[in-house]
Amino acid sequence: MALSVLPASKCGSHYQFYRTRIIQQTTRKSAMIIRMTASSGGGAGGQLASYEEGELERPNWTGQTPLSRLVGALISFKPLYSVLKLGARQVLISTAEKTNVPWREMTKEILESDVYKEMESIENPSIVYPDYYLSPFHAYDEGNLSWLAAAEAEAATMSMVRRAIPDASSLDEANEIVRGNWLNAIEKHHQLYSGNLEIKDILDIGCSVGVSTRFLADKFPSAKLTGLDLSPYFLAVAKYKEKLNPQKSNSFDWIHANGENTGLDSQSFDIVSISYVLHECPARATVNLAKEAFRLLRPGGTFVVTDNSPKSKKLQQLSPVLFTLMKSTEPFLDEYYLLDLEKTVKDAGFVNVQTILTDPRHRTLTATVAY
């Protein structure tokens, strides 16, 4: 296949636009962010947005409920599973393009670019992938270990944000809520509990193609950012996009490693963030990720996790079609919803553990390494 370099003004321009706008407008528009009720644990101080919870501890389509077992039986039937995977993929693409996320165009731009050249400098040939990571996530047979998954990751992230805030007038406005509330939760927690620890080094575990990493960079412009992921394909896209749209102040490292055992120095970061990753992990991996985050943070450092909330009213009320499609592409979803994340984080040694719904679908947990 002939490869060509796309101009920076084209490739990545969709992300560049909303990334800049959200940082500029989060504070100004915070007053318009939907009326809300505090989640369990409350916020880390200040007037953080939080949303109404459902009546259940978790959706009744998870765990060992009759409905969950029925869905599991349907998914285990291979001919039907193949149809469900295809349906889930079509829902993602259709949702994206109906809300002006140019999924196919963005994917084509990456696949026809010079992104492949980044693999050699990114890939760690000594990596041994954990068994769970080889699962067929998100309707890709190769899971996260494919160029197609990497090329579609940013569009999928945009689509996720649009689904979270369906009444937003634009992707930009939806991100002001989803990303803005998450970033504000980190900032407020760190201000309250860090003992004035300066934010110099931030680690983004499970950084994918670097969307969350760049949002963190914009929020904390003097920090050095490290994006870590198990997929060299995702990291190659992250590095490629960084070259097309270099940051003016932050520096970035992209590391191909396992977040459960990173090999990085102890007490070398001030913030460790994990965004939209844990729902793809078995419980044992989440326990290890929390322990590794604790080891990596300096005293006073902040740990932050944002992901699906079991108590989200929106997720508890998903239609049978949608939650069946979701479970067909997320093999560890039940383990995620059944795990007591707050207890897991406390057991790892963290204090000041706080959880808040930062949009109708997602919770943000923040915690501190004590001095």
Side-chain angles (χ1 to χ4, degrees), residues 267 289-298 348-350 368-370:
Q267 298 188 7
L289 286 165
K291 291 178 179 178
E292 181 71 347
F294 185 83
R295 183 185 73 82
L296 292 169
L297 281 163
R298 298 179 177 117
F350 289 97
T368 308
V369 174

Side-chain angles (χ1 to χ4, degrees), residues 14-83:
H14 310 287
Y15 169 73
Q16 185 70 25
F17 171 75
Y18 75 74
R19 179 170 66 95
T20 302
R21 290 269 292 174
I22 176 182
I23 300 299
Q24 295 173 339
Q25 297 182 12
T26 295
T27 302
R28 179 168 58 84
K29 290 197 175 181
S30 60
M32 62 177 275
I33 299 176
I34 308 173
R35 176 190 60 84
M36 306 187 305
T37 320
S39 168
S40 61
Q47 297 299 314
L48 269 179
S50 57
Y51 290 74
E52 184 181 1
E53 294 178 350
E55 296 180 356
L56 307 174
E57 284 299 306
R58 64 187 62 86
N60 63 4
W61 43 264
T62 61
Q64 295 302 311
T65 65
L67 179 58
S68 179
R69 289 197 296 269
L70 173 61
V71 174
L74 293 173
I75 294 171
S76 67
F77 182 55
K78 288 186 177 180
L80 181 58
Y81 172 65
S82 298
V83 174

Side-chain angles (χ1 to χ4, degrees), residues 158-170:
M158 292 179 179
S159 183
M160 176 272 292
V161 170
R162 288 295 267 161
R163 290 196 306 276
I165 314 294
D167 295 331
S169 61
S170 65

Side-chain angles (χ1 to χ4, degrees), residues 56 69 78 117 139 151 155 173 184 201 214 232 266-267 324:
L56 307 174
R69 289 197 296 269
K78 288 186 177 180
K117 293 182 179 180
E173 183 179 313
N184 285 341
D201 301 283
R214 292 186 176 89
S266 297
Q267 298 188 7
T324 302

Side-chain angles (χ1 to χ4, degrees), residues 9-286:
S9 61
K10 183 178 180 183
C11 186
S13 61
H14 310 287
Y15 169 73
Q16 185 70 25
F17 171 75
Y18 75 74
R19 179 170 66 95
T20 302
R21 290 269 292 174
I22 176 182
I23 300 299
Q24 295 173 339
Q25 297 182 12
T26 295
T27 302
R28 179 168 58 84
K29 290 197 175 181
S30 60
M32 62 177 275
I33 299 176
I34 308 173
R35 176 190 60 84
M36 306 187 305
T37 320
S39 168
S40 61
Q47 297 299 314
L48 269 179
S50 57
Y51 290 74
E52 184 181 1
E53 294 178 350
E55 296 180 356
L56 307 174
E57 284 299 306
R58 64 187 62 86
N60 63 4
W61 43 264
T62 61
Q64 295 302 311
T65 65
L67 179 58
S68 179
R69 289 197 296 269
L70 173 61
V71 174
L74 293 173
I75 294 171
S76 67
F77 182 55
K78 288 186 177 180
L80 181 58
Y81 172 65
S82 298
V83 174
L84 289 172
K85 281 201 306 180
L86 178 61
R89 179 173 171 76
Q90 292 306 313
V91 166
L92 286 173
I93 296 174
S94 174
T95 300
E97 298 199 330
K98 284 179 180 177
T99 53
N100 299 316
V101 175
W103 182 297
R104 292 178 177 86
E105 177 188 341
M106 294 174 68
T107 301
K108 185 173 182 286
E109 288 175 358
I110 292 296
L111 293 177
E112 294 182 355
S113 74
D114 255 356
V115 67
Y116 309 95
K117 293 182 179 180
E118 305 299 339
M119 178 68 85
E120 185 176 349
S121 65
I122 286 289
E123 188 170 18
N124 177 3
S126 66
I127 281 285
V128 177
Y129 293 103
D131 55 352
Y132 68 84
Y133 197 72
L134 303 177
S135 300
F137 297 106
H138 303 153
Y140 303 107
D141 291 337
E142 303 87 358
N144 293 330
L145 296 172
S146 74
W147 284 114
L148 181 60
E152 293 186 333
E154 186 175 335
T157 298
M158 292 179 179
S159 183
M160 176 272 292
V161 170
R162 288 295 267 161
R163 290 196 306 276
I165 314 294
D167 295 331
S169 61
S170 65
L171 177 65
D172 183 34
E173 183 179 313
N175 267 285
E176 289 169 19
I177 298 172
V178 174
R179 300 291 184 178
N181 287 348
W182 162 64
L183 292 169
N184 285 341
I186 300 171
E187 181 179 51
K188 290 180 182 295
H189 189 99
H190 198 78
Q191 289 172 347
L192 272 178
Y193 301 115
S194 72
N196 297 318
L197 177 68
E198 184 181 355
I199 300 173
K200 298 183 292 185
D201 301 283
I202 300 176
L203 175 63
D204 189 13
I205 294 178
C207 67
S208 183
V209 296
V211 174
S212 55
T213 320
R214 292 186 176 89
F215 272 116
L216 287 163
D218 279 339
K219 183 68 173 179
F220 305 102
S222 62
K224 176 182 177 181
L225 275 295
T226 300
L228 183 147
D229 204 276
L230 261 173
S231 172
Y233 302 89
F234 287 177
L235 291 168
V237 173
K239 187 172 182 180
Y240 175 73
K241 286 180 174 289
E242 182 203 349
K243 287 182 175 180
L244 291 178
N245 297 287
Q247 295 286 112
K248 293 181 180 179
S249 55
N250 302 91
S251 61
F252 289 81
D253 285 334
W254 305 105
I255 298 178
H256 182 209
N258 186 343
E260 298 177 63
N261 183 18
T262 63
L264 300 173
D265 292 340
S266 297
Q267 298 188 7
S268 54
F269 294 94
D270 308 296
I271 292 176
V272 172
S273 177
I274 304 179
S275 300
Y276 309 109
V277 171
L278 297 188
H279 71 276
E280 297 181 4
C281 298
R284 68 181 189 275
T286 298

